[in-house]
Amino acid sequence: MTQSVVVQVGQCGNQVGCRFWDLALREHAAVNKKGIYDESLSSFFRNVDTRSGGDGPDIYKGKICSLKARALLIDMEEGVVNEILQGPLRDVFDSKQLITDVSGSGNNWAVGHKLYGYQYRENIVEKLRKTAEHCDCLQCFFIIHSMGGGTGSGLGTFVLNLLEDEFPEVYRFVTSVYPSGEDDVITSPYNSVLAMKELNEHADCVLPIENESLFDIVNKIHQMINSGKLGSTVKQNSLVTSSAGSTKTVQEKPFDAMNNIVANLLLNLTSSARFEGSLNMDLNEISMNLVPFPRLHYLVSSLTPLYTLADVNVPSRRLDQMFSDAFSRDHQLIQTDPKHSLYLACALLVRGNVQVSDLRRNIERLKPSLHFVSWNQEGWKTGLCSVPPVGHSHSLLALANNTCVKPTFIELKDRFMKLYKKKAHLHHYLHIDGMEQSCFSEAISSLSDLIEEYNELDATKGGPRTDPSRLKIAV
């Protein structure tokens, strides 16, 4: 069994990470009734004997003693991390997994990347190595961060570079929360574009998520419940925004519902690594099958169902609706419509009592309405995990490598250029050691190149389907 390590950076990263660990414990508790430490738990948790005091040795078999998350928590302000340590999850982390400062990064990528990055480099490397040493077969690092602030974008991408240097063979999955156009951080376009250059160069897969989409999904769910259209058929505890049944007993915060959506995305993404299934999908298969070009590794994700109906026997009609929803605009975690753009590849990760025949039937049904590149018409990757999310009978996570991410990047570039043309707020960045104006021009150039690569692919859409030319061998 493989293990993964979660690195959560900055306020947003740690708040999303907190919800992930909370809901992961809820999910394992629902399956693991006897409290035995098994391979499923070992993928994200260590079982530690803490009776001797401090960080005791790992226990690989038998009863659960004390579960410790395979995680590193980094923030240059103490607030969120302290809150986690005083909350219901305090026993899942210990002080050896934390790196905090008091002053924060002031919403400045340069402070996070250039200043704190070099200041904390040795400390971060040492803690990453320690965490890796506790893994038998480390397969993947998950970085959770936001793009708009200073610590998440700056230090988050610095950690990404470190991971490539120190663990080049281990996959790097990045969950990046992008700011909305009405973001209250005025320098967020700078931070996001500077971070994008690092993501382009050093990540294996990036799952972009927009705050606006999360907000819309939460509102949609509330409207659906409160309108009474669905009557008593909706189960409250099975909403993807709900924390019911988790360790959380304190009052939910405003962003918890949005963060729960991202946490559910990560739970579904890693379900095949944690549970049995008739068609298990390894995490490395996602990168291998969905990323044909190294820089085009941005995967658009969609979750369905967003709420679960109360009956357990799911008619195939409703199952088919779940697949249709995954390709609709309303269920995407960035504001886009993948149906009208070009697919390079697509993965469907299904959980629950769903048959392979259901998968095949729905792929055949949806295929005619989706535009795939001519050289990868069969670019589908599927995974079936038999354990559904808590309170659900089934669920689907779709990951699409699709040119529909382009408008998000174009909008980000436009917002960057509005500030950059006026040289607004540049002095806050340029007074940091190692930060030069060329960093900005290189970052916007990297983003422009990325947009151009998507443009070139879009230009082939709807063209005649041609077989790739064969290598001719002279005799």
Side-chain angles (χ1 to χ4, degrees), residues 160-422:
L160 178 65
N161 296 6
L162 277 186
L163 290 174
E164 188 178 39
D165 292 342
E166 297 290 327
F167 307 93
E169 304 301 313
V170 182
Y171 285 90
R172 297 172 298 282
F173 275 75
V174 186
T175 303
S176 302
V177 180
Y178 281 70
S180 63
E182 286 76 49
D183 191 54
D184 55 355
V185 177
I186 196 158
T187 54
S188 70
Y190 283 162
N191 297 332
S192 301
V193 172
L194 288 162
M196 279 284 295
K197 178 178 182 287
E198 307 298 320
L199 293 182
N200 287 345
E201 293 172 4
H202 304 291
D204 287 308
C205 277
V206 179
L207 304 171
I209 290 157
E210 283 182 340
N211 264 329
E212 238 164 307
S213 289
L214 298 178
F215 187 70
D216 287 350
I217 288 172
V218 171
N219 281 347
K220 227 165 277 162
I221 292 171
H222 288 321
Q223 279 171 11
M224 203 60 136
I225 296 163
N226 298 332
S227 68
K229 279 182 190 171
L230 298 168
S232 59
T233 56
V234 171
K235 291 195 289 183
Q236 294 282 344
N237 290 1
S238 59
L239 308 177
V240 296
T241 54
S242 164
S243 302
S246 64
T247 59
K248 208 168 174 64
T249 50
V250 292
Q251 191 177 359
E252 287 198 12
K253 296 185 188 61
F255 291 112
D256 276 355
M258 290 164 68
N259 292 339
N260 281 344
I261 297 172
V262 186
N264 273 288
L265 156 68
L266 292 170
L267 284 175
N268 288 353
L269 179 65
T270 58
S271 59
S272 275
R274 295 180 294 125
F275 300 116
E276 292 297 313
S278 56
L279 197 64
N280 263 11
M281 188 195 295
D282 217 352
L283 287 166
N284 65 345
E285 291 181 71
I286 294 173
S287 174
M288 202 165 300
N289 289 275
L290 264 62
V291 183
F293 305 110
R295 278 164 57 89
L296 306 185
H297 52 234
Y298 294 86
L299 307 181
V300 179
S301 47
S302 60
L303 276 173
T304 173
L306 298 175
Y307 47 80
T308 292
L309 300 170
D311 56 359
V312 178
N313 299 317
V314 184
S316 60
R317 176 175 46 81
R318 194 171 294 146
L319 201 59
D320 290 358
Q321 185 60 46
M322 178 179 82
F323 282 89
S324 298
D325 286 345
F327 295 89
S328 77
R329 190 186 188 99
D330 290 349
H331 289 69
Q332 308 302 317
L333 299 194
I334 69 168
Q335 295 205 309
T336 185
D337 191 353
K339 267 193 164 178
H340 296 112
S341 299
L342 192 66
Y343 280 86
L344 304 185
C346 184
L348 300 176
L349 288 80
V350 186
R351 299 181 65 180
N353 186 19
V354 180
Q355 306 303 315
V356 176
S357 57
D358 295 320
L359 259 174
R360 288 194 184 124
R361 183 183 74 252
N362 277 288
I363 287 174
E364 290 305 319
R365 179 175 66 84
L366 290 162
K367 242 189 205 174
S369 63
L370 307 174
H371 307 282
F372 272 75
V373 285
S374 59
W375 40 263
N376 199 22
Q377 291 286 314
E378 302 299 320
W380 295 87
K381 183 68 189 164
T382 52
L384 273 181
C385 172
S386 53
V387 178
V390 175
H392 293 236
S393 57
H394 58 290
S395 77
L396 168 62
L397 165 66
L399 296 174
N401 193 340
N402 189 302
T403 58
C404 68
V405 294
K406 186 177 70 174
T408 300
F409 298 154
I410 290 172
E411 189 196 341
L412 188 59
K413 180 183 173 182
D414 291 345
R415 284 168 49 213
F416 175 96
M417 290 312 295
K418 270 183 194 167
L419 289 175
Y420 192 58
K421 276 176 187 168
K422 298 173 184 170

